[in-house]
C-alpha cells in the first residue's frame, strides 16, 4: 500500500486550479510520466460531471494503462478519482481546492494505491515520495504557464 497527502497554497483561485486538474486530456503535455490520456466518456450526474478516462503512465521500462472514473464536483471544488481497470489492486485519489481569504487557494491532494504486481509496487515504493512531490509541482508549474505569474503564497507543509 502506498498513500500520501500533500497540501500546498498557491496564488491561483480554487476555480482555476480545479479547471486545470480537470483537464485530463492535457496531462501528457505537462505531467511527468504521463505518456497518454483519453476521455472515453463524459456524462452528467446531477450537478457533477463524471468522466471515464484512460491514462498511460511510463517510467523507465514500466508502461501501464489504467482506467478511472473521475467525478468533477465544480460547486465544491472537489475531484474524486476511482479506479476501474488496469494494473492496480486499488487506486483512489482526491483533489480539493479551498479558496483562501488572502487570495489564491489551498490544494489538498490525496492518493492511495497498490499494484497487483509486487515488482511494480517495489519499484514505485522506491520513487513514490519524489514522484508525488514532482507531480504536485507539475500542476503548479502548469498553472503558472496558463494563468501567469502571480504574487507568491507561502506553502503549507
Amino acid at each position: 500500500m502506498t498513500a500520501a497527502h500533500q497540501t500546498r497554497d498557491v496564488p491561483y483561485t480554487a476555480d482555476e486550479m480545479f479547471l486545470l486538474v480537470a483537464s485530463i486530456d492535457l496531462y501528457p503535455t505537462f505531467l511527468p510520466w504521463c505518456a497518454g490520456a483519453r476521455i472515453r466518456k463524459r456524462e452528467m450526474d446531477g450537478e457533477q460531471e463524471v468522466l471515464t478516462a484512460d491514462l498511460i503512465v511510463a517510467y523507465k521500462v514500466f508502461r501501464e494503462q489504467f482506467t478511472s472514473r473521475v467525478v468533477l464536483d465544480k460547486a465544491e471544488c472537489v475531484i474524486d478519482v476511482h479506479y476501474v481497470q488496469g494494473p492496480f489492486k486499488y487506486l483512489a485519489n482526491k483533489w480539493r481546492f479551498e479558496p483562501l481569504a488572502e487570495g489564491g487557494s489551498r490544494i489538498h491532494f490525496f492518493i492511495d494505491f497498490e499494484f497487483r504486481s509486487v515488482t511494480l509496487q517495489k519499484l514505485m515504493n522506491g520513487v513514490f515520495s519524489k514522484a508525488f512531490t514532482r507531480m504536485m509541482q507539475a500542476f503548479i508549474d502548469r498553472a503558472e504557464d496558463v494563468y501567469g505569474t502571480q504574487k507568491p503564497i507561502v506553502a503549507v507543509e
Side-chain angles (χ1 to χ4, degrees):
M1 173 173 77
T2 305
H5 177 265
Q6 190 174 38
T7 303
R8 294 277 301 270
D9 289 356
V10 296
Y12 309 100
T13 69
D15 286 340
E16 287 172 332
M17 293 307 300
F18 177 91
L19 290 172
L20 194 136
V21 175
S23 299
I24 296 164
D25 51 332
L26 297 178
Y27 285 7
T29 65
F30 70 91
L31 195 57
W33 310 294
C34 184
R38 175 179 67 152
I39 305 300
R40 283 191 193 182
K41 184 174 163 187
R42 287 182 185 268
E43 59 190 353
M44 295 302 292
D45 183 6
E47 296 296 312
Q48 299 175 335
E49 184 175 12
V50 180
L51 311 176
T52 302
D54 294 331
L55 285 182
I56 298 172
V57 178
Y59 178 75
K60 296 188 179 183
V61 297
F62 162 75
R63 184 178 179 88
E64 294 288 342
Q65 177 177 319
F66 64 95
T67 303
S68 298
R69 180 176 185 267
V70 182
V71 179
L72 306 173
D73 187 339
K74 190 162 173 42
E76 296 296 320
C77 278
V78 171
I79 298 173
D80 267 315
V81 180
H82 309 276
Y83 177 66
V84 174
Q85 177 181 328
F88 298 97
K89 282 186 182 176
Y90 65 88
L91 166 71
N93 70 52
K94 182 174 190 167
W95 293 86
R96 185 167 58 87
F97 308 95
E98 173 188 353
L100 296 175
E102 63 273 17
S105 62
R106 179 165 292 149
I107 304 169
H108 300 270
F109 178 43
F110 170 79
I111 189 166
D112 184 16
F113 68 90
E114 185 174 350
F115 282 102
R116 292 183 211 280
S117 162
V118 174
T119 303
L120 287 178
Q121 189 64 35
K122 285 182 179 178
L123 172 67
M124 197 53 163
N125 286 344
V127 299
F128 178 70
S129 179
K130 180 181 174 184
F132 184 69
T133 300
R134 190 166 169 202
M135 190 166 80
M136 171 69 96
Q137 189 61 49
F139 281 100
I140 294 167
D141 293 346
R142 175 69 175 170
E144 184 174 319
D145 291 344
V146 171
Y147 305 122
T149 304
Q150 300 180 16
K151 182 180 175 186
I153 292 180
V154 177
V156 173
E157 296 299 321

